[in-house]
Amino acid sequence: MIEVSGLRKRYGQTMALDGMSFTVTPGRVTGFVGPNGAGKSTTMRVILGLDAADGGHALVGGRPYRSLRSPLRHLGALLDAAALHPGRTARHHLLWLAHSQGLGVRRVDEVIELVGLAPVARRRAGGFSLGMRQRLGIAAALLGDPPALMLDEPVNGLDPEGVVWIRGLLRSLAAEGRAVLVSSHLMSELQDTADHLVVVGRGRVVADTGVAELIEAASGGRVRLRTAEPAAAMDALARAGAVVAATGAGTVTVSGLVSERVVAVLGGSGVPFSEVAAHRATLEEAYMELTGDSVEFRAGLRASGSSRSSGSSGSWGDGR
Amino acid sequence: MTRPVPGTGTRLREVHAEWTKLRTAPGTLWTVLALVAVTVATSAAASALVSCPSSGCGHDAVRIGLAGVQAGQAVTAVAAVLAITGEYGTGMIRATFTAMPRRGAVLAAKAVVVAGLTLASGTVAVLGSLLAARLVLPHSGFTPEHGFPPLSLADGPTLRAAAGSVLYLALIALFSLGVATAVRDSAAAAGVVLGLLYALAAVPFVMVPDPDWQLLLWRISPMNAGLAVQSTANLSALPLTPWQGVAVLTAWTAASLLLAALLLRRRDA
């Protein structure tokens, strides 16, 4: 379990963390999302004791990280996959980490096997692709078999096979009862991975909610209707008290009526239709809904996304 | 979700991890070879170039035979700098402090393994230098007839000079490690260390005419003072005794490590 409470951190003029508080509970994947510069990486560095917070505290299993004697057995972290000596082999990189935790070479070979690096374990890490480095970083995070894991943008730069692999790994780690925190600046990345979301902007939490609840709320009991005669359908439904909107060629979104009523009304009016389904919002739509009235957060979006501020929804730029 | 702990006690884990890092770094073996080669070659060259044409020429044969330490220390200094700045340069320092959050213990562990390796390779370099000098010096006129018996560790002052030279190299390594931890950048740290060693050693004679200032600068120069331990002749003419010189270098080393420990604790990694 990871608990973050009231973290504050200022770098010069920039308020990086401004009362960041949330909890990562065992047995589920918690997505940590927000635009670049929202404070995700800083929060992770503070949790790991790399940066000192100006206020508040972060606890891992109820204790400050820096007080842990074998920290990798409590929390495994992947912050920056490139942060290793390029001349050392993957196996030797893991070996010194293992020795720092009182672990032996057997555990090193286990995690190498686990992340699929066995064929290249004795090669220098400097020659690794980004995907291989990510795997090596994940091997390091898993080294101490920790009950909590924290990964900063783990799918960045991975090929599709790697992305699928990471998603499956995160799911299975959570299923084993571990607390998993995974950050991303892309909502869509977390759609099928996270159970819970901590949405951040400008150094504080904007929303702390379950993924299912968030999508449920954003879907708002709307019904999507596919029909060859949208005008007649809209007319009939409006008369029945629904709020209707044409959302595409032959598609109408209906709110205020459950799908059974929609079917009955259309049937009664003799309007043909090919499909009536509950509208399911995407995580990105849910996110836009969520932050639609958060003026300050939108300002934060603009401030951080220089080139992409007017770009497609849910993507706030690259890197950190 | 824990597994049994084999072997190492918690206290020595940092040392174990740092030793694994050092021995698996590709540059380590080359550093050891370079230290020995540069030191022995320079000592042999100095022994060949100097000459003692007559009886009582006033030279310090032991000091000449150990002259290579003045060149070898640069290898040691740069290697010790890279032991820490290499981690800052690649970002690996964050992996280090994530695995071992007690930063003071990490610095101490690095100091132990760097000093240990320097003591071992420095011993080889110094013994090699004495052996080379013992073979070469007679050809330069350092003969028993001129008052120079063959160099031997059975001679008290020679043994002190040899052991002191090994100690000198280890102190230089630790001094460099401390400076590099404070500075964090490879080039800047190497510049500061080599500047403090060579420039501070030369400046008094090049730029300072006042003899009192010259004396003071000689006494506080880590290289001049530290290498006093190599002297076996005209000891009374030295501004410091051999062991006082070692104490000066030790003070520099302690100060640099202390500064490093304070900064490590205070700074974000």
Side-chain angles (χ1 to χ4, degrees):
Chain A
M1 182 137 109
I2 305 168
E3 294 164 86
V4 167
S5 169
L7 288 187
R8 263 166 229 295
K9 175 79 179 173
R10 181 184 280 281
Y11 295 107
Q13 289 294 312
T14 317
M15 185 68 100
L17 298 180
D18 186 12
M20 180 74 74
S21 301
F22 61 88
T23 301
V24 185
T25 50
R28 66 187 191 190
V29 176
T30 300
F32 194 27
V33 283
N36 297 314
K40 303 188 296 294
S41 296
T42 303
T43 302
M44 290 184 164
R45 281 202 303 273
V46 169
I47 290 171
L48 292 172
L50 292 174
D51 287 12
D54 300 330
H57 61 259
L59 300 176
V60 175
R63 293 172 60 190
Y65 188 87
R66 286 179 80 162
S67 75
L68 300 170
R69 281 301 287 120
S70 303
L72 302 190
R73 291 158 182 258
H74 298 265
L75 173 62
L78 169 66
L79 245 56
D80 179 4
L84 44 79
H85 194 297
R88 198 174 273 119
T89 69
R91 193 160 178 275
H92 283 151
H93 177 69
L94 293 170
L95 190 60
W96 76 256
L97 281 170
H99 286 162
S100 75
Q101 309 299 302
L103 296 165
V105 69
R106 220 176 49 207
R107 181 60 187 160
V108 169
D109 290 330
E110 276 175 26
V111 292
I112 285 173
E113 204 63 49
L114 196 62
V115 302
L117 279 181
V120 296
R122 287 166 201 275
R123 294 227 311 253
R124 292 187 175 186
F128 280 16
S129 67
L130 184 52
M132 285 153 81
R133 288 186 185 205
Q134 292 281 29
R135 283 175 191 257
L136 179 54
I138 286 169
L142 294 174
L143 196 58
D145 197 14
L149 285 122
M150 192 164 79
L151 302 103
D152 196 8
E153 306 268 359
V155 305
N156 246 5
L158 287 189
D159 53 19
E161 188 199 350
V163 172
V164 170
W165 174 73
I166 292 243
R167 286 188 178 151
L169 181 71
L170 294 177
R171 298 289 337 147
S172 69
L173 290 170
E176 289 165 20
R178 299 177 217 250
V180 179
L181 180 69
V182 51
S183 82
S184 177
H185 64 282
L186 296 174
M187 271 285 185
S188 54
E189 271 178 12
L190 297 169
Q191 176 111 40
D192 303 318
T193 313
D195 308 293
H196 194 84
L197 281 183
V198 173
V199 182
V200 294
R202 293 197 143 192
R204 68 170 73 131
V205 174
V206 176
D208 188 340
T209 177
V211 170
E213 292 95 304
L214 185 62
I215 289 176
E216 187 69 32
S219 305
R222 280 177 292 185
V223 174
R224 199 182 66 239
L225 166 68
R226 199 176 287 277
T227 171
E229 294 175 26
M234 287 169 77
D235 195 38
L237 290 166
R239 271 188 276 113
V243 177
V244 289
T247 43
T251 349
V252 176
T253 301
V254 187
S255 40
L257 287 181
V258 297
S259 47
E260 290 83 356
R261 272 295 285 149
V262 172
V263 172
V265 168
L266 293 175
S269 316
V271 178
F273 60 91
S274 56
E275 185 188 338
V276 173
H279 171 77
R280 190 175 149 79
T282 65
L283 203 48
E284 282 170 13
E285 287 169 340
Y287 170 78
M288 298 315 282
E289 190 107 338
L290 175 75
T291 56
D293 50 10
S294 171
V295 175
E296 189 186 16
F297 186 66
R298 307 214 105 212
L301 273 179
R302 267 198 296 279
S304 66
S306 51
S307 61
R308 305 280 287 274
S309 55
S310 59
S312 59
S313 62
S315 167
W316 296 307
D318 313 305
R320 276 143 253 180
Chain B
M1 293 189 188
T2 50
R3 46 188 60 243
V5 188
T8 337
T10 48
R11 214 166 268 278
L12 288 172
R13 276 186 201 164
E14 279 92 353
V15 176
H16 192 189
E18 289 301 329
W19 170 241
T20 304
K21 267 190 210 170
L22 190 64
R23 81 181 164 79
T24 61
T28 303
L29 179 64
W30 292 111
T31 303
V32 169
L33 295 177
L35 170 64
V36 173
V38 167
T39 305
V40 174
T42 310
S43 296
S47 303
L49 291 172
V50 79
S51 71
C52 186
S54 59
S55 182
C57 58
H59 284 310
D60 185 341
V62 174
R63 184 142 194 174
I64 292 164
L66 292 171
V69 170
Q70 295 183 38
Q73 66 176 346
V75 177
T76 297
V78 171
V81 163
L82 291 176
I84 182 79
T85 58
E87 294 203 18
Y88 277 105
T90 57
M92 197 179 98
I93 193 73
R94 292 193 291 279
T96 295
F97 288 147
T98 300
M100 301 178 278
R102 297 191 314 162
R103 298 181 187 181
V106 171
L107 180 63
K110 273 199 191 293
V112 166
V113 299
V114 165
L117 187 66
T118 308
L119 286 174
S121 50
T123 301
V124 175
V126 164
L127 291 179
S129 293
L130 286 179
L131 185 63
R134 186 186 159 108
L135 298 172
V136 175
L137 278 175
H139 299 289
S140 304
F142 290 81
T143 55
E145 298 79 61
H146 289 173
F148 292 101
L151 295 185
S152 164
L153 289 176
D155 173 52
T158 306
L159 180 63
R160 184 252 301 146
S165 295
V166 176
L167 181 63
Y168 174 84
L169 287 171
L171 287 170
I172 291 294
L174 292 176
F175 171 65
S176 308
L177 179 69
V179 170
T181 305
V183 175
R184 296 191 282 192
D185 176 73
S186 301
V192 169
V193 168
L194 297 179
L196 282 172
L197 289 180
Y198 293 110
L200 202 51
V203 153
F205 307 102
V206 180
M207 295 166 71
V208 182
D210 185 89
D212 288 342
W213 278 101
Q214 272 195 9
L215 194 64
L216 176 71
L217 284 171
W218 195 100
R219 282 178 171 148
I220 63 165
S221 148
M223 180 169 153
N224 286 336
L227 286 175
V229 82
Q230 292 186 334
S231 297
T232 59
N234 304 322
L235 287 182
S236 56
L238 280 176
L240 293 170
T241 69
W243 292 114
Q244 280 172 344
V246 169
V248 169
L249 177 57
T250 305
W252 276 96
T253 303
S256 91
L257 288 175
L258 197 64
L259 176 70
L262 286 174
L263 289 175
L264 267 189
R265 206 169 294 258
R266 280 196 41 198
R267 285 194 299 218
D268 287 340

